[in-house]
């Protein structure tokens, strides 16, 4: 199965190991992975800030960077949600309308792809401790992903998965929301982390590193005994030594 890997700019710049782990998981699922090194951003930051002309310019490059009839997989429900939903505002009834629709139907968030396309839920991962899963807004509401990450995490040796209160509530990041409304954003992060701590969790796991960055910032500032992890990093933990690509 041929797959094109989309590494969001956020992951590329701050969490490159998650991108490598996504590649490892796809290869272990039997996929032949291709990566276009000229890819950049999906246009979400500009789109969310109201700069739709600029977002359309970036989005046009995205459409040209990927093959419309090939699976495209990304370790970010937020970026996948942008392509699946936001591109309707940017490209409906344009010259690239049909190409956009084809790519929208073929782009997948990692956990969704592993369960529903590759049909794989066990990777021999090991992680000792208790964890809660955070449903990011984009994963749950834009990509309709809920059970898939939980199914994957239930197969991790040594990991006890718990459900925290208000797991589907926003963590407070929301892109520029965290900058414009920092007090509200911080309070939302505090609430989310406290719900995880109430379960005596060692880890908060999610599909979106933007959420995890926000939560980890609150955790570090307050020296709390909990850690955030992306699901790709969890699924590779304990079974695969570091590989140079």
């Amino acid at each position: 199965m041929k797959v094109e890997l989309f590494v969001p700019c956020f992951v590329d710049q701050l969490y490159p190991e998650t991108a490598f782990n996504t590649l490892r998981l796809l290869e272990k699922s039997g996929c032949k992975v291709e990566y276009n090194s000229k890819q950049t951003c999906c246009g979400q930051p500009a789109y969310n800030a109201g700069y739709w002309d600029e977002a359309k310019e970036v989005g046009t490059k995205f459409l040209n960077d990927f093959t419309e009839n090939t699976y495209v997989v990304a370790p970010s429900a937020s970026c996948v949600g942008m392509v699946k939903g936001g591109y309707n505002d940017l490209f409906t009834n344009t010259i690239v309308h049909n190409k956009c629709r084809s790519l929208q139907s073929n782009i997948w968030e990692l956990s969704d792809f592993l369960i529903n396309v590759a049909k794989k839920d066990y990777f021999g991962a090991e992680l000792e401790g208790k964890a809660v899963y955070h449903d990011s807004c984009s994963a749950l509401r834009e990509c309709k992903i809920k059970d898939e990450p939980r199914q994957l995490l239930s197969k991790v040796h040594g990991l006890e998965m718990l459900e925290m209160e208000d797991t589907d509530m926003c963590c407070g990041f929301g892109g520029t929301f965290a900058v414009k409304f920092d007090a509200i954003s911080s309070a939302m992060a505090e609430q989310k982390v406290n719900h995880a701590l109430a379960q005596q969790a060692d880890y908060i796991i999610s599909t979106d590193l933007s959420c995890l960055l926000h939560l980890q910032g609150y955790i570090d500032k307050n020296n709390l005994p909990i850690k955030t992890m992306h699901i790709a990093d969890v699924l590779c933990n304990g079974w695969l030594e570091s590989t140079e690509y």
Side-chain angles (χ1 to χ4, degrees), residues 74-85:
S76 169
S78 176
C79 295
V80 171
M82 169 63 189
V83 175
K84 285 185 172 293

Side-chain angles (χ1 to χ4, degrees), residues 125-161:
E126 298 179 0
L127 183 63
E128 292 292 332
K130 298 179 180 179
V132 293
Y133 176 76
H134 162 59
D135 291 284
S136 75
C137 297
S138 296
L140 187 63
R141 296 169 177 83
E142 295 178 3
C143 299
K144 312 303 180 185
I145 298 167
K146 186 174 180 66
D147 295 332
E148 291 84 355
R150 289 172 170 82
Q151 182 176 337
L152 290 162
L153 293 170
S154 71
K155 301 299 179 66
V156 176
H157 295 287
L159 187 62
E160 181 182 356
M161 291 301 301

Side-chain angles (χ1 to χ4, degrees), residues 16 46 60-61 66 107 115 127 138 147 150 152 182 198 202 228:
T60 299
K61 182 182 184 307
F66 293 93
I107 190 167
I115 294 296
L127 183 63
S138 296
D147 295 332
R150 289 172 170 82
L152 290 162
D182 60 318
D202 301 297
T228 60

Side-chain angles (χ1 to χ4, degrees), residues 166-240:
D166 295 332
T167 183
D168 58 350
M169 295 293 288
C170 180
C171 70
F173 178 67
T176 55
F177 176 86
V179 177
K180 295 179 178 179
F181 304 99
D182 60 318
I184 299 174
S185 175
S186 296
M188 294 171 73
E190 177 183 16
Q191 182 182 51
K192 178 68 66 171
V193 173
N194 283 342
H195 285 330
L197 290 172
Q199 295 294 327
Q200 299 182 324
D202 301 297
Y203 306 99
I204 300 175
I205 302 170
S206 186
T207 56
D208 283 270
L209 282 165
S210 52
C211 298
L212 298 179
L213 174 71
H214 181 59
L215 295 174
Q216 190 66 52
Y218 177 82
I219 290 168
D220 291 344
K221 181 179 180 180
N222 294 278
N223 297 311
L224 299 173
I226 194 169
K227 178 183 178 181
T228 60
M229 290 187 72
H230 189 276
I231 190 169
D233 301 325
V234 175
L235 296 178
C236 283
N237 196 69
W239 62 262
L240 187 64

